[in-house]
């Protein structure tokens, strides 16, 4: 009996494709869903890595230009009305509000400092929204993928036990394929969840660091304008 069982087990294909092909429709849907979530998560991870690196480079280049001693009006004219980088947008927003706060005779309109601060805060909020876009999907994948995979496993094991009851055969060679197919759903869920959790934490920290840089620049720029307002 043991020899027959071993021979039967060796004839069964346990490759991932074979396990997927033999799985029930529900388990297949779960696995495809998890693979889709994993693919989209990696797309977000790569896109955010490129975006954050570009944002850090842009901020570094702009900081050197800003602190080079060049007059702010000249720097603003160089950037123009359509700034490209986030740091340039925050600076251009502040400078535009600064110019709008002057009357035709050169006098300042009351409340200029508060308006400049609010304008830069709005610009920072817009850039922060772009930085954080997609991160919520990583968080959702990291928290739900294991449970989605577990659902597929439970459903697959349920189907295996139903097949055992129908065939009235508890031979390991009969039980093992169905359980292996079911467990694959949990494995795929973990494969989707683990990178999503790891990179969500990293990318979220990177995003907060970049946003902190924008806020620090806005505070420094507001301080410079404040000196001019008080002089």
């Amino acid at each position: 009996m043991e020899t027959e069982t071993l021979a039967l087990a060796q004839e069964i294909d346990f490759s991932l494709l074979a396990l997927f092909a033999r799985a029930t429709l529900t388990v297949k849907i779960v696995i495809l869903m998890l693979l889709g979530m994993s693919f989209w998560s990696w797309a977000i991870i790569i896109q955010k890595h490129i975006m954050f690196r570009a944002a850090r480079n842009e901020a570094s280049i702009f900081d050197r230009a800003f602190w080079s001693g060049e007059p702010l009006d000249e720097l603003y004219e160089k950037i123009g009305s359509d700034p490209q980088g986030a740091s340039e947008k925050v600076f251009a927003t502040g400078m535009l509000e600064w110019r709008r706060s002057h009357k035709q005779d050169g006098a300042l309109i009351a409340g200029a400092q508060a308006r400049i601060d609010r304008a830069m805060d709005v610009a920072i909020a817009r850039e922060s929204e772009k930085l954080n876009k997609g991160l919520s999907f990583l968080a959702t994948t990291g928290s739900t993928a294991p449970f989605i995979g577990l659902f597929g496993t439970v459903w697959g094991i349920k189907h295996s036990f139903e097949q055992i009851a129908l065939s009235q055969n508890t031979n390991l060679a009969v039980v093992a394929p169905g359980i292996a197919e079911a467990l694959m759903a949990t494995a795929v869920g973990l494969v989707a969840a683990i990178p999503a959790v790891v990179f969500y934490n990293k990318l979220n920290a990177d995003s907060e660091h970049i946003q902190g840089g924008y806020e620090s620049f806005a505070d420094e720029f507001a301080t410079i304008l404040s000196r001019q307002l008080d002089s």
Side-chain angles (χ1 to χ4, degrees):
M1 180 65 72
E2 293 181 359
T3 304
E4 293 178 359
T5 300
L6 180 60
L8 182 59
Q10 289 176 343
E11 293 176 0
I12 300 173
D13 187 357
F14 283 96
S15 66
L16 294 179
L17 289 177
L19 291 175
F20 176 79
R22 289 196 302 263
T24 64
L25 178 61
T26 302
V27 176
K28 286 180 180 178
I29 292 173
V30 167
I31 291 175
L32 290 175
M33 181 187 301
L34 291 171
L35 289 176
M37 293 171 68
S38 179
F39 174 81
W40 193 248
S41 295
W42 278 108
I44 292 173
I45 290 167
I46 294 171
Q47 187 263 343
K48 288 300 176 183
H49 176 73
I50 296 172
M51 174 188 288
F52 289 177
R53 182 172 61 181
R56 285 190 289 264
N57 290 338
E58 182 273 331
S60 178
I61 293 172
F62 177 77
D63 281 347
R64 287 197 295 270
F66 183 81
W67 297 108
S68 65
E70 181 180 8
L72 297 182
D73 287 328
E74 293 182 9
L75 179 60
Y76 178 66
E77 294 299 333
K78 285 184 179 180
I79 293 174
S81 59
D82 186 25
Q84 299 301 314
S87 298
E88 291 181 354
K89 290 178 181 179
V90 175
F91 168 74
T93 299
M95 283 298 297
L96 180 62
E97 189 60 40
W98 164 260
R99 291 188 172 186
R100 287 176 176 173
S101 296
H102 286 79
K103 298 179 181 178
Q104 292 183 350
D105 58 1
L108 276 171
I109 301 174
Q113 185 68 55
R115 287 194 302 274
I116 293 171
D117 290 341
R118 284 197 298 271
M120 289 193 293
D121 287 342
V122 171
I124 292 173
R126 289 173 180 167
E127 297 307 314
S128 298
E129 184 177 357
K130 294 178 183 178
L131 291 174
N132 292 326
K133 186 177 181 180
L135 294 185
S136 59
F137 182 83
L138 294 182
T140 300
T141 299
S143 60
T144 61
F147 297 102
I148 295 174
L150 183 60
F151 168 76
T153 295
V154 172
W155 188 273
I157 292 176
K158 166 186 162 300
H159 177 74
S160 296
F161 280 116
E162 289 174 352
Q163 293 300 108
I164 292 171
L166 292 174
S167 64
Q168 296 182 349
N169 189 347
T170 59
N171 193 304
L172 183 60
V174 176
V175 178
I179 295 178
E181 296 156 15
L183 291 175
M184 185 172 65
T186 295
V188 175
L190 293 176
V191 168
I194 293 173
V197 172
V198 171
F199 282 100
Y200 169 77
N201 291 330
K202 181 184 184 304
L203 293 174
N204 187 59
D206 290 345
S207 176
E208 291 180 354
H209 179 73
I210 294 172
Q211 293 174 49
Y214 296 154
E215 293 171 356
S216 296
F217 165 74
D219 291 339
E220 293 170 344
F221 184 36
T223 301
I224 294 173
L225 295 180
S226 179
R227 293 195 193 101
Q228 296 189 27
L229 288 171
D230 294 338
S231 62

